[in-house]
Each structure stands twice: as C-alpha cells, then as structure tokens.
Amino acid sequence: MENVPVQGGKKRQVVETTLKQRTIRNNLIGYAFISPWLIGFIGIIVGPMLYSLYLSFTHYDLLSAPSWIGMENYINIFTQDPRFWTTLKVTFLFVFIAVPLRLIFALAIAMLMNMGFRGAGVYSLIYYVPSIIGGSVAVAVIWRQIFGREGALNHVLAWFNIEGYNWFAHPDYALSVLILLIVWQFGSPMVIFLAGLRQIPSELYEAAAVDGANAFHRFFRITIPMLTPVIFFNLVFAVINGFLTFTQAFLITAGGPIDRTLLYALYLYQNAFEYFRMGYASALAWILLLIIGILTALIFLTSKKWVYYESEGGKQGAQ
Amino acid sequence: MLNRKSTLSAVLYHAFIIGLGFIMLYPILWMFVSSIKPEAEIFQNAASLIPSDIKWENYAVGWEGYGQYDFGLFFKNSIIVTSLVVVGTLFSSSLVAYGFARLTFKFQKFLFACLLGTVMLPVQVVVIPQYILYHKLNWIDTFLPLVVPAFVGGAAFFIFLMVQFIRGIPRELDEAAVIDGCSPFGIFWHVILPLCKPALITVTIFSFMWTWDDFFTPLIFLQDTSLYTVALGLRGFMDPDAMTAWGPLIAMSSLSLLPQFILFLFCQKYIVKGIATTGIK
C-alpha cells in the first residue's frame, strides 16, 4: 500500500518525460519537413528584405561598400526626381485602366460562355490561348510588329484609307497599346469567373424570373452580388500584377516615348541594374511595397462592405 | 416561331464568339504564319494570314542564332533550368506542405502565416539584395540563382496549394498507416504523396510554364551568352541597335512557345481546373 503513491509518482514522471520527449521529437520532425522552406524563407526572403531596407538608407553602387546617408534617398525620390512622379503617374494610369478593362472583359466573356450554348467549352479554351504566352518575349515580338509603322494593324487601317502611326512611338498611344496587351490576356480571370458563375444556384434566377425581373435586374441583383468573392480575388491579383508589369514595357517600349510607358517596375530595374544605384533602387522598392500594401489593404478593408459571402447568410457555400 | 428565334440567336451567338475569337487568336496565328513567309512579305503583306510561298528558311537562319551561339544551346539551357526548377518545386512544396498540413510543432501557426505573407510578395523588393548575395557567393552567371530558390520553397504559392490539397485528404488514412507502424516520412511517402498526384501535376504544369516563360530572373542573373535561356536568346535577337532580322526572330519566337502550346494541348483540363480552383494567374 505504501508503495502505491511512490509508484504512481514514478509513473507520472515517466509519462511526463516521454510526453516531453515526444513533443521535442514532434517538433524536430515537423521542422525537418519544413526545413527547405525555412532555409529559403530566412535566406532569400527575410534576410534580403532586411538588407534591402538597410540599403535604402545608403548610397551603394556595388563597387564600394554601402555608405549610410539616412533618409536622403527617400527625400531625393520625392523632391529631386521628376521621373519618379512620371513613373508613378504612368503606373497608376496603367493599372487603373488596364485592370478594370481586363476584369470587365473577362466577366463579359465568361457570361457568354455560361449561356448554355454548345461548344462553350472549346470556345473558352480558345479565348484562353493568348494568356498561355503570358509575359514571354514572343508576345513582345508580336506586339511590336503588329503595332509598328509597317505592322498588320496599319495595313488593315489602310484598307479604310486611314493612315496609322508607329503606335509605340506616339506619346498619346504607346501606353494604350500596352494596356491592350494586358486586356487581351484576360484568360485567367475569365476561367475564375466562369467557375464562379457555375456556382450560382439556378433557382435564384428562376425565382427572379417568376418575380418578373429583367436581365438588367438579374445581373445586378443576383450575378454581381454572388460573384463578389471572385471579383475580389481577381481584383487583388490583377492590381498587384499590374504594378509589377515589367517584361512588356522593357521589351516593347523600353519606357519611351518620353517616359510615357515608364512603368514603376521598369524604372526600378533601370536604377538598380543599369545605373547601379542599388540604395536608391531599394528605396524605390520599399515605396512600391508600401503602395501595393496600402492598395491591397484598401481592397481588403472595403471588401467587408461589398463582398457577399453566402455562408454569412446562414447557408454554407456550395464548395 | 420560338424555334426559329432560338436558332437565330444561336447563329448570332456562334458568329459573334467565333468572330471575336478570331481577333483574339489573330496575333498568334499571324506569328506562326509570318514565320514561314518570305522575309519581304512580313511587311509588304503584313495583315495577311496566307503566305504566297512557304519558306522554312527563317527557322534554319534563326536556329543559327548569333555569334557562335545557336538556339540549340539556348533551348538546352532553358530545358536544364526549367526541369531543375520543376524538380525543386515538387520536392520542396510537397515536403513542406506535408509538414504544415499534418504535423504539429512549435510556432506552426506563426510560420504558416509567414508563408502566406510571402505568397504575394513582389519580387522587386528582394531582387536587389538577392543579386548582391548571389554576387558574393559567386553565383552570378551560373544557373544557381534560377534553380536553388525552387528547392528552398521559393514559390510559396505552390506550398500553399499543396497544403490546401493535403488538408482535403482524410486523416483516417494517416492513422491507419500509424497503426501499421509507419513513420511520418513513411506516411508522407506511401500515403500522402500518391494521393497528391493531381496537385503535383498542377504544380508541375505551372512551374514549367512560368519558368519557361520567365524573362526577368535570367535577365538579371545571367550575362554570359553561353548561359542564355531561350527568352534571353530571343531578346538578343531583337537588339534595337542592330537591324532586326524579323523573319528568323519570328520563327524562333514561334518555336519558343511550342513547349507551352504542346503542354496546353495535352493538359488543358488540369490547367483550367488549376486556375479555376486555386486562382493561379
């Protein structure tokens, strides 16, 4: 009888130590599995980010060591660099025209694909084809030729006796042609919209039809509200990618004419890898991160007002 | 009456969709057709999709490349880089995703939040210090800066995708394997990985497509022409200072897209499904 509590204590101790050992073992196994990412996260994300923050307060040209200059880069960017304001203007113009156009187009075509006509599956694949080639060099080659002075577009215009330009050399049109390229590749948001449209229960439309709602009403009272989660998702992605657009501007217009297509990512690249102003470019990069962060946060914050989730109404989403 | 109306609307519908589809496809068709047009005709008859004469010379001339480097070399480089990136992405995304989805360890939630935070991180913010890092490691002008990040989970998005997928696999399967005496790695290898096949295919397709397409990363980390990928090789071709040889350039551009189109042709189901469910751009 006397032994029992002692034994019990021992037992508990044994259980506790094995439990502890087990947690340690579990931790070790867990970290072993995520170690590739953990190494990368520290080595190529967090480390570089901190270093880039530091660099943004220095003058650094790769040749001599970075020298601390405090806020000078940031002050110069905002007060001494007219090209910064140009690039900001161009980029905002680009994003705020290209993104809505791209999404409106994607939604319109997705709705056409969802009307229940035969062959819609094949058609949506065809409309997706331009998106496959994404930001490749080939697409830059195509665009440069088609919108060049001797290009296909001007040949078509000539049939109607309209004289075209070298569209990329014209300050008023160069950016529009880049926007057109982004809109042309509306395949991915279209596919996402199409998936979203298929999730809308047809009873909703049937009920609305019984109530005598016309197409206009059905679109704004059912389709759009039910699609808001998808619109939200597409919007966030499109805005972020819009701000990062680089290859097309770099290859097709190189920022010209007179900086009219000098997108932010391109200006950042030029500073870093053409002028080797690494500190200055780092400051530009952090300003870009801040802009994207603020815009994303704005979309997220306002989303509570306009994004409708089915589950909130008490009914669980279909997925 | 009703029938006639619906036939009419069907005809209008198909006419409109096909017409617009043609305009959409025109630039790509134009490229393939121009690649076999006689050089002069690319500009004289620019809008036409029917070549007066089929000439394959553009491909032969284009394949020669420039200097001592032909496109065979650029394709070889692209194939090496792309396949290593795909292997690295499959390796890191599956392993890490299993860790996050199925194992418990300290700071798991915090670290997963960190992972999510990096999914949309603009590459521009890290590329400068990364360049300096690789410069100090003497990795510039090697394939390492292009390939190593894939092995250490560089594309956080794919890890996230795999986590979501693994979470959908019933846990009873793991438990049964534990009773059979399986180790965590055994469960990963024998139970989870085989069930992840659809997700792994999605990861393979998209990491292939993006890497093959990528222009920015090679542009920054590769300077030596002998290491150029196809994207850089093409860019060298369209040098604005020199007279661009349009025929060969267009021919090589067409060729550069071939792997992606072939992949799309055979895997469009996976691609469309992958975009629809995960929102891959």
Side-chain angles (χ1 to χ4, degrees), chain B residues 43-243:
Chain B
F43 291 102
Q44 277 163 17
N45 209 356
S48 159
L49 287 181
I50 303 154
S52 68
D53 192 12
I54 294 178
K55 297 224 171 205
W56 294 98
E57 280 127 61
N58 286 332
Y59 283 88
V61 175
W63 189 260
E64 296 282 313
Y66 38 83
Q68 46 181 319
Y69 307 106
D70 64 18
F71 264 84
L73 179 70
F74 303 150
F75 270 92
K76 198 185 97 198
N77 290 337
S78 272
I79 289 166
I80 293 172
V81 169
T82 308
S83 42
L84 285 173
V85 166
V86 170
V87 170
T89 309
L90 288 174
F91 161 80
S92 65
S93 65
S94 60
L95 217 56
V96 174
Y98 175 76
F100 276 119
R102 282 297 207 254
L103 303 175
T104 45
F105 49 90
K106 230 179 163 182
F107 304 121
Q108 185 178 20
K109 284 205 172 131
F110 170 73
L111 289 173
F112 191 62
C114 289
L115 176 90
L116 289 187
T118 61
V119 167
M120 303 236 231
L121 184 77
V123 60
Q124 271 82 1
V125 179
V126 286
V127 73
I128 293 168
Q130 276 179 358
Y131 179 85
I132 296 163
L133 173 74
Y134 298 145
H135 187 75
K136 294 208 162 127
L137 290 170
N138 267 328
W139 282 11
I140 303 296
D141 269 340
T142 69
F143 291 146
L144 290 170
L146 282 66
V147 167
V148 169
F151 281 89
V152 292
F157 184 82
F158 291 124
I159 300 176
F160 175 64
L161 189 153
M162 293 289 296
V163 168
Q164 294 296 89
F165 191 86
I166 294 174
R167 278 179 180 162
I169 298 172
R171 270 190 186 264
E172 288 81 37
L173 293 172
D174 305 30
E175 283 153 16
V178 171
I179 292 165
D180 290 346
C182 240
S183 68
F185 186 78
I187 298 171
F188 167 70
W189 191 254
H190 295 293
V191 181
I192 300 292
L193 215 51
L195 290 170
C196 280
K197 219 166 123 193
L200 292 172
I201 292 173
T202 307
V203 170
T204 305
I205 294 170
F206 282 97
S207 64
F208 178 92
M209 288 243 185
W210 292 350
T211 315
W212 190 267
D213 221 18
D214 188 22
F215 173 71
F216 188 67
T217 330
L219 172 73
I220 285 172
F221 298 121
L222 302 176
Q223 278 132 26
D224 185 349
T225 316
S226 67
L227 294 171
Y228 274 13
T229 57
V230 174
L232 286 183
L234 280 175
R235 190 237 169 174
F237 236 143
M238 56 194 288
D239 187 358
D241 301 328
M243 268 291 285

Side-chain angles (χ1 to χ4, degrees), chain A residues 192 195-196 198-200 229-230 310-311 315-319, chain B residues 164 273 276-278:
Chain A
I192 299 170
R198 293 200 173 128
Q199 298 278 317
I200 302 176
V230 185
E310 226 185 326
S311 51
K315 198 181 148 204
Q316 209 61 39
Q319 271 191 314
Chain B
Q164 294 296 89
K273 225 170 145 190
T277 53
T278 63

